Amino acid sequence: GCILEGKLYPFGEIPRTHNCLRCSCRQKEMFCCSLFHTPIGYDKENCKVVFNDQTCNYDVVQKSDPSKECVAYSRV
């Protein structure tokens, strides 16, 4: 298998690691890419970005009330 950040993964395709990556584990190498996109187009004065490790995504929420979402216009 492959070891990533101290955790052993089996050979083959790994749809989601513990830290929200999609990986391909081969005998001599491991390739990974992120499952999330970072918000860049949102109201930075009234909103903040919080990582949600359950969904492997960033939530954009109001600073004054984090239970309320803000609109994110673009992500990278």
Side-chain angles (χ1 to χ4, degrees), residues 17-68:
T17 65
H18 71 284
N19 57 350
C20 297
L21 299 174
R22 181 182 313 141
C23 298
S24 178
C25 174
R26 306 275 187 246
Q27 195 166 12
K28 293 186 179 186
E29 58 196 0
M30 185 174 196
F31 296 101
C32 296
C33 62
S34 66
L35 290 172
F36 51 87
H37 296 91
T38 306
I40 57 168
Y42 64 94
D43 179 358
K44 291 179 175 67
E45 186 175 321
N46 297 306
C47 302
K48 65 181 179 177
V49 174
V50 180
F51 189 72
N52 182 331
D53 58 1
Q54 298 298 312
T55 62
C56 285
N57 206 356
Y58 284 100
D59 296 331
V60 182
V61 296
Q62 292 181 7
K63 289 180 180 178
S64 60
D65 184 356
S67 68
K68 294 182 181 175

